[in-house]
Structures are given as C-alpha cells and as structure tokens.
Amino acid sequence: MNCDWNILSVCLVKAGSSTSTIFGFSEFLSALALLVIVYTITDVRYKFRIATAPFNLPKASFTIIAIIGIGTLMSEIWVAEKWATVAWNLSQALWQSIFALTFLITVLVWLWFAFIKPPKYGKSNYKRFYKVTYQYVMQAKESEIRMLSDELVNHIPDLVKYANTVNGNDVKSQNCKMSRKAYELIFLLSNKNFCDTLAAYSPHTAIAFFNALESEKTIHANCFNIITSLISTSLLNNKNSLIYHENEHYRSGLLGHNKALSRAMFGNYHIISQVRGNTVLDVDYVSSSKWDNEQISKYCELVLISFRGFVESGYWYCHSSELFRALSTIQGFAAQLHKTDNTRDMYSQVEFKNFDTVVGFANSLTQIIAEQKTPPDCIKLKNSDKLNNQSFYDHIAALYFELIHFSCYISEPMMTCWFIQHNTVWGKLFDNFEKDSKAKKIILHKVRRRLFNSIKEFEKYPNYQSARILGFCINIFSIVHKGHGLALRKAVWSWVDNNYSKLHKQNPKLAKAALMDGIEYDEEKNAIVKVGRGSMGKKPTRTYWKLKD
C-alpha cells in the first residue's frame, strides 16, 4: 500500500469513504428524534420501569448516544476532508456498523426493561426505586398514583419479604439498607390517597399484598398495620370496589364463588393476629360513622369470615383483641335504634335496618360455632367481669345483651315496640325455629343470666338501664309462656311480684320507665295490665297480672 504520509515510520493514508452510507449522521439524527418522540408520548408506567432499572439507564443511555453521535459526525468529517488515518484502520462502513449496532443495543435494553422484563425491587435498584416511588406519591397525580397502585403488584412480594426482616423497634441498627428502604416504602404507601386508588382500580395488588403477608408465616415488622387498615377502609368506602362484587355465587358468579379478595384479607386469622396495632378489622371511625346499610352489611360479612378463621384455626382459647374491637364497632352500628322510637313506619328507617343487620350478625356468630364438628367448650358458664377470663361465648352474650338493651329504648307505639323487641330481637336470637346447638345453649344461658343480674341491680341502686331491661322482659314474657326463657320468665315475674309495687312507691319515674306502651300499672288493684288492641269496633282488652301485696 502506498503511504501518503510517513511519520515516525507510521504509514498514514487519506481517509476514504464507503460507496453507501449505513448509519451516517443524518440517520443518527432521525433515529434520535424518533426515540425522543417515542419516550415523550410513552405512558408513565414505562417511564417508571425505566427509572427503576438495575442501573441508571437514562444516564447511561445519554452517555452512549452522545458517543455515537460524536463518533458518527467525526467519521463523516474525517472522510469528507480526507484527513490522515493509519493504513490498518477500519473502513467507514465498519465504523458506521459498530455505531448502528451500539445504538440498536441501547434501544433494545430500553425495550427490555420497559416491556419484556420490568425490573423488580432488589439490591441493584432499591435506592432509585424508593426515590421514584416517593416522587410519585408526593406529587399525588391521579394518573401516576393509579399506575403505581397497579405496577406495584410485581414488587409487593419482595417489598413485604425485605420489610419483614426489619425490627420496627430498632430500625436504625439494621445492617441491610435495602430492608430498611422496603420498610420505609411500606410506610410511604400507607397513604389514604394511594389506598383509595388501589381499592378502586387495583384490587389484585391488594390480593398480592395479603398473599405475601400470608407467605411470611410470621410477621416481625410493625409497618403493616396502617396500610392494612387503610386498604380495608378504602375498599368498604368505595361501594364499586371488588369486595362488593364478591357476594353469593348465584349473584356474582365466579367472583362470588372464589372470594379471592375477601379471603386473602380476612380469611387468615393467623396473619390478622400478628399484624401489630390496627388490622383489616380496624376501620376508620370517621368513615364508618357515615356508612349506609349496604356497607355495614358487607363489614359484618367480612368480620364473620375472620371469625370463622379464628374458630377453625384453634385460637378459641386466646383472647382476640382484633375481633373484640370489631364487635364493638358493629355494636355501635345498632346504637342509633332509639331514633325510631315513636315511629310507626320502622321499615323505612335506616337505624332499624342497621339494627336488624347487627342482629343477623350476632345470630351468625352463634351458627359458625355450632357448625364446628367439635364446638369449643365453655370455660365457665358464669359470666366473668375480667376481660382476660372471658371466652368468646361471653363476648357474643354481651353483644346479645346490648342489642336487647338498645331495643328497650323503643317504648312506643305498641306495635313498633312489640315488633322490634319480640319479632326482631327475641324471635331471631332466641326463638328462630332452629335446633338448639350446644353453643347456642351456652350463649343464651349467659344472656339470661345477664338480664336477670341487671334487674337485680335494683336491689343495690336504682338505674334506668335496669328499668329498661325489666320493661323488655315484662313486654316479652307477658304473652310468651313456653319456649326459650321459661326459667327467666319465672324469675322475672317472681321479682316483679315481690318488688314492683315497692319500686313504684319509692321511685315512680323508674317504675314507669319499666313499662312499655300497652302495659300499665293499676295501683288500686296492684296489678300489671296488658292492654290489647280492640278489633271490629270492640274495646281494647285488658289482662291483669295481680302482684303480691
């Protein structure tokens, strides 16, 4: 080869151009412009994936593209000006091929992480993952939060696994920074805005989250309590969420048959008991106070799922603070029944519907225990005042008692009072035409004992609660002569025979509070009078129960 220049024994020749351009500077600019446009219109989901790649993909891509652009431009200038080059240098076509291949590989790497195999939370990207997620949550844009709630479904198992290795009481002493970031990410996602969006658009992420908790077997960290409670509250607040479509299978098909979300969240009592602080059963008080009957019914249904898991998993002999709080919440839904007092059309009253739902819930608790092949034995038939000594029989009996107490606030009109106290409460909880199970016998025994003990409190100090309970028993037992409560009926009427006339003399207001509409006290005859409704133009009937002098 003839040398154009010979410098220091190095043969230099004039750079020559190829016959055809493979990847010139103009092609590079066209490809770069197309790449910029594609990235600009790309969905935020794929930008999130690119930003959380195992390495800083945007920065690396910028550096590589800059080198390719400069190299392509310099190669064309070098050839155009026929500058000196070594004789053994690669041809222009080979250089352009190398630049084109490098550019193609860069684009393929983007496509790989954006579409083919999205990155997952791990050692290589935990810092970037936390930073990008934090930005999206802080900006609180609906589209970005919606994307994030859906995209995290692939990261949830790893986040839960790493976060669970951190002892929440001693976070700073942990050696693994990745686990600490996962722990902080769970707290970051414990955000009402995020949980509301997740409940509305990404229930599969919630399923993945609770399945990941279940796979951990034991919960060590205390970062899961807030997010579990928020997800539960958000699902119940949104009546269009998946949880409302998981009804009986004949109403909602496969979703109602599988109940994937309900069972993942509420079916495993072992996980519920290990989440420290709030759980899925601890809904927000402000939100629950605004619920309608459909939302209350759904919450009762979910608590029953947890209670079934509690019984079937052998936790019966342990005190369940989670279920105890849930029962208190549900009991509060029935506490507004007094607003239907002196109302004839009770069926249209929201308070009555809520009360009726809670009565059905209380009855279902008893049925779940009765369905067990070996129902748990009662520790003590006698009610205990100490919470730690109480079994769940005592808690259910206490719920029965409070429902009876709430119904006592309905004193008139007579038919409304009778329907609520007898048909709704006594009829469903005591005389529901079902065969008495061992569990039901134990619970009703405890309820009857509570009722009579409340009446006997008159002997210590007069109070209106005891007066209302006495009024309930007089109203119910004035007609019911057999069936459930026969022993209680005898005890109540024995107490009334011996004490009511004395109570009337000492405290007339309390004595009157113990008589519902349609029941009177005849002081002259010293008798309780039941006034019946007259029919066909006849006068009301009057039935007397003579008291002892």
Side-chain angles (χ1 to χ4, degrees):
M1 176 181 293
N2 296 325
C3 298
D4 295 323
W5 298 279
N6 194 330
I7 301 176
L8 299 177
S9 300
V10 178
C11 180
L12 301 177
V13 298
K14 294 180 180 179
S17 62
S18 302
T19 57
S20 60
T21 301
I22 297 176
F23 190 71
F25 189 69
S26 60
E27 288 81 7
F28 166 77
L29 290 178
S30 300
L32 180 60
L34 181 61
L35 185 63
V36 171
I37 292 173
V38 170
Y39 179 77
T40 302
I41 64 175
T42 296
D43 186 75
V44 66
R45 177 190 306 274
Y46 306 109
K47 293 181 179 179
F48 175 82
R49 293 177 178 179
I50 293 298
T52 56
F55 56 93
N56 196 331
L57 184 55
K59 186 175 181 180
S61 299
F62 174 81
T63 303
I64 293 173
I65 290 175
I67 293 173
I68 293 173
I70 294 172
T72 303
L73 179 61
M74 290 301 299
S75 66
E76 291 197 359
I77 294 175
W78 209 282
V79 170
E81 296 296 328
K82 295 183 179 181
W83 289 345
T85 182
V86 292
W88 42 265
N89 190 13
L90 301 178
S91 65
Q92 184 184 20
L94 286 176
W95 275 112
Q96 290 182 345
S97 298
I98 292 172
F99 291 141
L101 180 61
T102 305
F103 189 87
L104 178 61
I105 292 174
T106 302
V107 174
L108 291 177
V109 171
W110 277 64
L111 295 176
W112 176 263
F113 288 116
F115 299 99
I116 307 302
K117 192 174 179 60
K120 292 186 177 182
Y121 182 87
K123 293 181 179 179
S124 58
N125 69 338
Y126 71 91
K127 290 183 179 179
R128 282 187 298 278
F129 193 95
Y130 178 84
K131 181 179 179 181
V132 174
T133 304
Y134 184 86
Q135 290 174 348
Y136 282 139
V137 173
M138 288 295 293
Q139 290 173 359
K141 293 182 180 179
E142 182 180 357
S143 60
E144 294 179 355
I145 297 297
R146 184 172 176 178
M147 176 281 303
L148 187 63
S149 65
D150 182 64
E151 184 66 16
L152 285 177
V153 68
N154 298 318
H155 304 275
I156 286 296
D158 294 320
L159 285 175
V160 171
K161 179 179 69 175
Y162 292 126
N164 195 38
T165 62
V166 176
N167 180 359
N169 297 323
D170 194 16
V171 179
K172 294 184 179 180
S173 66
Q174 299 300 315
N175 295 323
C176 185
K177 296 181 180 179
M178 178 181 59
S179 296
R180 291 208 305 271
K181 284 297 181 184
Y183 182 92
E184 293 173 8
L185 268 170
I186 297 297
F187 268 125
L188 175 65
L189 298 177
S190 302
N191 176 281
K192 184 179 183 300
N193 187 27
F194 174 81
C195 291
D196 286 344
T197 305
L198 182 146
Y201 302 107
S202 306
H204 56 286
T205 304
I207 295 174
F209 177 75
F210 286 96
N211 285 340
L213 285 177
E214 184 176 0
S215 65
E216 288 300 302
K217 305 300 182 183
T218 303
I219 305 300
H220 303 288
N222 62 358
C223 60
F224 302 109
N225 56 348
I226 300 176
I227 190 171
T228 53
S229 176
L230 284 176
I231 291 175
S232 177
T233 302
S234 297
L235 285 167
L236 287 163
N237 285 342
N238 186 353
K239 294 172 65 175
N240 197 37
S241 64
L242 176 62
I243 210 163
Y244 284 94
H245 299 286
E246 294 184 340
N247 299 313
E248 295 81 1
H249 65 275
Y250 56 83
R251 292 174 55 192
S252 53
L254 184 63
L255 293 178
H257 177 74
N258 292 337
K259 295 184 182 293
L261 181 58
S262 300
R263 291 176 179 172
M265 292 181 62
F266 298 89
N268 191 332
Y269 180 77
H270 175 69
I271 295 300
I272 294 176
S273 64
Q274 291 200 17
V275 175
R276 303 166 188 173
N278 293 336
T279 68
V280 290
L281 301 176
D282 297 295
V283 293
D284 179 62
Y285 173 78
V286 176
S287 298
S288 62
S289 63
K290 302 176 183 177
W291 284 352
D292 60 19
N293 185 254
E294 182 181 1
Q295 292 169 306
I296 292 173
S297 299
K298 176 55 67 172
Y299 179 69
C300 291
E301 177 187 329
L302 298 175
V303 173
L304 288 175
I305 293 176
S306 295
F307 181 71
R308 186 180 295 276
F310 169 77
V311 176
E312 294 178 351
S313 301
Y315 285 87
W316 178 263
Y317 296 101
C318 301
H319 172 67
S320 173
S321 57
E322 301 82 16
L323 285 170
F324 181 79
R325 294 195 300 269
L327 258 64
S328 299
T329 300
I330 293 175
Q331 178 180 304
F333 296 141
Q336 302 299 315
L337 182 66
H338 65 276
K339 294 181 180 180
T340 62
D341 190 26
N342 201 19
T343 302
R344 296 186 182 276
D345 185 17
M346 76 196 88
Y347 300 103
S348 63
Q349 302 296 317
V350 175
E351 293 79 13
F352 172 75
K353 294 178 181 178
N354 295 344
F355 179 81
D356 189 50
T357 297
V358 178
V359 171
F361 167 79
N363 190 39
S364 297
L365 290 174
T366 307
Q367 291 178 356
I368 289 175
I369 304 175
E371 290 171 2
Q372 306 305 309
K373 293 182 179 179
T374 55
D377 293 329
C378 178
I379 300 175
K380 292 181 180 180
L381 279 176
K382 186 177 180 180
N383 297 320
S384 175
D385 294 331
K386 295 182 179 180
L387 187 61
N388 293 333
N389 293 334
Q390 292 180 350
S391 67
F392 225 91
Y393 286 122
D394 295 291
H395 300 326
I396 298 175
L399 178 60
Y400 275 39
F401 177 82
E402 289 302 326
L403 291 174
I404 292 173
H405 179 219
F406 294 151
S407 72
C408 296
Y409 285 90
I410 310 302
S411 59
E412 55 182 345
M414 180 175 63
M415 291 308 298
T416 299
C417 176
W418 175 257
F419 183 87
I420 292 178
Q421 294 185 2
H422 179 267
N423 296 2
T424 303
V425 178
W426 191 264
K428 292 183 178 180
L429 297 181
F430 288 78
D431 288 330
N432 53 10
F433 303 104
E434 295 179 356
K435 184 179 179 180
D436 289 350
S437 62
K438 179 181 178 181
K440 184 175 181 179
K441 290 179 180 178
I442 293 173
I443 292 171
L444 295 187
H445 173 84
K446 289 178 174 291
V447 175
R448 290 191 292 266
R449 183 181 290 274
R450 282 178 177 269
L451 291 173
F452 189 68
N453 287 344
S454 178
I455 295 173
K456 285 182 67 65
E457 285 184 4
F458 272 121
E459 299 174 4
K460 297 180 179 179
Y461 54 90
N463 63 91
Y464 277 96
Q465 176 175 310
S466 297
R468 287 190 286 266
I469 295 298
L470 177 61
F472 173 88
C473 293
I474 293 175
N475 190 32
I476 295 299
F477 296 139
S478 61
I479 292 180
V480 178
H481 297 281
K482 59 182 180 179
H484 283 293
L486 183 59
L488 178 61
R489 179 182 184 274
K490 293 180 179 179
V492 169
W493 279 109
S494 175
W495 190 94
V496 172
D497 282 342
N498 295 319
N499 297 280
Y500 187 82
S501 58
K502 182 172 60 176
L503 175 65
H504 181 75
K505 294 177 182 179
Q506 295 177 351
N507 199 324
K509 289 185 178 180
L510 276 180
K512 186 177 180 180
L515 300 179
M516 304 298 172
D517 187 31
I519 301 178
E520 303 172 353
Y521 174 67
D522 191 325
E523 189 171 0
E524 294 182 0
K525 297 182 179 181
N526 190 27
I528 301 293
V529 183
K530 173 68 176 179
V531 181
R533 296 179 64 186
S535 59
M536 301 299 289
K538 296 181 180 180
K539 294 182 179 181
T541 60
R542 301 177 69 87
T543 306
Y544 291 83
W545 284 271
K546 180 67 175 174
L547 305 181
K548 295 179 180 179
D549 294 330

